[in-house]
Amino acid sequence: MTVTAVDLGIRKKPEGEKILLIEDNPDHAYLVRKSISEALKSQVDMAGTGEEGIAKLKSGNYDLVISDFNLPGMDGMEILQMVKEFNIDVPFIMLTGQGDEKVAVSAMKLGAYNYVVKDDVCYTILPRVISETLTKYRADKEKERFEREIREKSEALEKANQELKKLDELKSEFISSVSHEFRNPLNSIRESVELVLDGVVNANEEKGRRILEIAKTSAERLTILVNDLLDFSKLEAGKMKMEKEPADIKRIVQDAVDSMRPLAEKKRLKLEIVPPTEKIVVFADPLRIIQVLTNLISNAIKFTPEDGRIDVIAEPFDDPKPPVQKVKVSVKDTGIGISLENLSRIFERFEQVKQPHRGKTPELQGTGLGLSICQEIVKLHQGNIWAESELGKGSTFIFTLPRYR
Ligand code: ADP
């Protein structure tokens, strides 16, 4: 009578699996093959020795290997060892002789999935053992995959948590530094007003005017700070609207440079425009691009010692990835430069690079938000922004914008 997998109560019949049978005895091999092919739809490949079996396992993709223990040369245990050594991921069934329980136990310990004692009924039960082994192996693989996924997900979660924690710390640092930034100009306004109110200085006289000028500069500084903060929170919430229109980049650069010229002249800095050789029209919000440029020029002024030079260059640029015609605008200064380590951080939110002389010169104080705002605005125009610099050798801040067609 032919025993089928269904008769044996196997729920899912293996289909089309490639099985390697390592067996030197042709009669046994014949019977094993016969029992498998009658009950299962698996394809059975043969190897007469351990060496041949390993060679086949290395070159072919087998779903299961059945190996006799007693073989000439390499025995079943050695084959199993080699399978492990070569990292061949395949379920292994050991065929042991009667009374060879020790071999069976050792084989299982070494990683065999199952064993079958070679007796009269072994050919009858082999198809069931194969099915069970494949089911267990697949369940184990599934479990491994699941565990790996859980591990990867919890690692990603842990990473996200760390990042949130870092952001939280930066936000706290930021609040504290912004509070300081507010305190100085506020104190200066209060003291100036007190001096006038107490009659220590007269607002109509030179000294009084100078003191009120200081208060005015401080109030202006506070306005810039508040505007930066409002812009930043609008950008973070995705609520900043860009009023895009076709605009001549030469005009935008000219407007930005004109507004910054008095500040540059105060420091005797040469501020020059290198205009494009052809007319370049961008599709952009001119006021926002002017904001980006004034921010970059203001930084260049802040970080360039007196008698230095700042060039604002606009030129056509063919972006290869993806192929788009753009304009490239660079703000190049001969200032203090930025170290390689800090260069990668300056665009990050809340990041402020500790400059050795930050804090001593009032004009060097900032919120550390300027460049993040510039980056967000440029991104909203489908452009890129980056910086190239070397400590002590000046910096170039570059951004690109797509051209209007
Ligand atoms: P901040 O308001 O502090 O200037 P930004 O975001 O505009 O903030 O700039 C971040 C940091 O990048 C600055 O603190 C400064 O250290 C560095 N940086 C920006 N522009 C320049 C520049 N042209 N030269 C040297 N350092 C610069």
Side-chain angles (χ1 to χ4, degrees), residues 228 295-296 299-304 333 335-338 346 351-355 358 364-372 389 394-395 397:
D228 261 11
N295 226 315
L296 299 181
N299 275 350
I301 294 173
K302 267 198 269 180
F303 298 105
T304 304
D333 66 50
I336 59 171
I338 306 160
I346 52 173
E351 285 284 359
Q352 256 191 319
V353 174
K354 302 256 180 319
Q355 301 287 356
R358 173 179 281 285
L364 286 185
Q365 292 172 356
T367 53
L369 281 181
L371 288 178
S372 340
S389 184
S395 315
F397 282 78

Side-chain angles (χ1 to χ4, degrees), residues 368-381:
L369 281 181
L371 288 178
S372 340
I373 294 173
C374 291
Q375 187 175 44
E376 291 304 318
I377 293 175
V378 170
K379 265 202 231 154
L380 287 172
H381 282 86

